[in-house]
Amino acid sequence: MSTPVLWQFRSSHFNEKARWALDWKGIPHLRRSLLPGWHVPRVMSLTRQTKVPVLVRDDGEVISDSTRIIERLEALQPDPPLYPADPAERRRALELEDFFDEELGPHARRVFFFEALDYPDYVVSLFADGDRPVMRALYRAAFPLNRAVMRFAMSIDAPHAEASRKHVDAALERLETELRPSGYLVGDAFSVADLTAAALVSPLLMPEEFPYPWPPIPEPVARAGAGRTWAGPRSSGPPRCTGVIAAVPPRWRRSRARCSWSTTSAPWRATTPGRTTACWTPAAA
Ligand SMILES: N[C@@H](CCC(=O)N[C@@H](CS)C(=O)NCC(=O)O)C(=O)O
């Protein structure tokens, strides 16, 4: 496959889902990072809607939505597979992908931002670290407006956050009960179901294997999540994993670490600051 361009947010779990699929398949690609809020004109012009990830292929094909991106990658490059070969297992994997897309992704995001948006420096760091200092300063200055838009657009308020916590708990409980003795969600191999669940829980787990650094989490945000929803970054002490969340990291590590090291080290750092990153997967697992 020629070199596609992934238009993305760095700190975003749906974008992580698409990145992980590209990395899993070993597809060299270029990442163009956008700043949330300021992304709209570019993404609109590409897709007539505003959400990332968006994958643009050399031949001009534009694919938006992480599920459709994975479907297309699977068709273009079936190996290594993310869809199980067995039809019944494939149906189950796609059904679980859909479930986590709907029941975990948006709710984990809301729960996280409900706590984090009170700390603009932290959120700006999440979104804009890796950009040029002047860009970060401008983005920080404009952030109050951006935050208001985020709260409105994603219904980030106390009642919705409380309801979303229940969705996250239920989704993680399902994750726990659906796990097979193999440690995977479908059959005995890593599939799109595992990738989706693990990528979408990233705002709550802040795993080290995420390909961009997590800025230090403000103590009140860490406290708010402790023992309830998220784990907190490893640097802030022992992981605060409880209950079902504790079950996720080992599987995450096994599969994400296998393909992400090249993106966490040389290429990303070599192009910082900046918003374009060349990514490829090492030959060795
Ligand atoms: N169903 C979509 C969800 C994508 C999504 O929600 N993207 C968010 C970032 S996590 C976004 O682009 N938000 C900005 C916007 O809605 O304008 C997918 O799987 O790609």
Side-chain angles (χ1 to χ4, degrees):
M1 199 190 302
S2 49
T3 308
V5 177
L6 184 73
W7 291 90
Q8 65 160 8
F9 296 161
R10 290 189 198 88
S11 285
S12 154
H13 54 352
F14 280 109
N15 289 267
E16 171 62 358
K17 192 182 151 196
R19 288 192 291 258
W20 192 338
L22 285 158
D23 285 347
W24 175 259
K25 288 182 173 291
I27 298 172
H29 59 284
L30 219 59
R31 292 181 189 165
R32 299 290 305 272
S33 296
L34 298 165
L35 289 169
W38 295 5
H39 68 291
V40 171
R42 169 70 69 178
V43 179
M44 263 296 205
S45 73
L46 286 170
T47 65
R48 304 261 168 266
Q49 56 88 54
T50 64
K51 290 187 194 310
V52 285
V54 174
L55 190 71
V56 181
R57 298 183 61 222
D58 263 14
D59 63 4
E61 181 184 7
V62 177
I63 312 150
S64 55
D65 191 282
S66 60
T67 298
R68 290 191 47 239
I69 290 172
I70 294 178
E71 184 184 22
R72 192 72 182 111
L73 295 180
E74 192 72 11
L76 292 165
Q77 187 175 306
D79 274 323
L82 279 168
Y83 289 0
D86 175 78
E89 288 192 347
R90 178 181 296 220
R91 268 198 305 280
R92 179 178 148 78
L94 293 176
E95 192 266 313
L96 284 168
E97 179 189 25
D98 191 47
F99 171 80
F100 291 118
D101 277 351
E102 300 301 322
E103 292 299 317
L104 180 59
H107 297 289
R109 181 173 56 199
R110 183 182 291 127
V111 164
F112 174 74
F113 281 119
F114 175 67
E115 304 293 348
L117 281 179
D118 287 336
Y119 300 88
D121 290 331
Y122 172 58
V123 179
V124 167
S125 226
L126 266 176
F127 289 166
D129 275 2
D131 264 281
R132 281 170 296 137
V134 62
M135 220 46 185
R136 279 211 305 271
L138 284 172
Y139 193 67
R140 174 66 185 88
F143 192 70
L145 176 62
N146 208 10
R147 176 170 68 176
V149 173
M150 282 177 74
R151 283 188 169 133
F152 176 75
M154 291 189 274
S155 303
I156 299 175
D157 55 38
H160 284 95
E162 197 44 49
S164 283
R165 271 196 196 96
K166 295 193 175 89
H167 281 268
V168 169
D169 286 348
L172 292 176
E173 260 165 56
R174 177 155 186 206
L175 170 59
E176 179 94 328
T177 54
E178 297 274 4
L179 276 179
R180 296 301 184 237
S182 62
Y184 296 109
L185 284 163
V186 182
D188 57 7
F190 185 72
S191 75
V192 68
D194 303 284
L195 184 154
T196 302
L200 295 186
V201 82
S202 62
L204 308 183
L205 286 178
M206 301 169 194
E208 285 168 350
E209 290 76 11
F210 198 81
Y212 300 101
W214 297 102
I217 190 168
E219 197 45 45
V221 180
R223 259 204 316 276
R228 295 190 74 186
T229 41
W230 58 78
R234 304 295 181 272
S235 56
S236 71
R240 286 179 274 262
C241 297
T242 57
V244 287
I245 278 186
V248 179
R251 207 175 62 256
W252 177 295
R253 280 202 193 92
R254 274 206 305 277
S255 40
R256 186 52 163 140
R258 197 184 128 184
C259 56
S260 70
W261 296 117
S262 70
T263 64
T264 54
S265 53
W268 186 79
R269 292 190 200 292
T271 57
T272 304
R275 277 183 279 156
T276 302
T277 313
C279 291
W280 59 89
T281 307

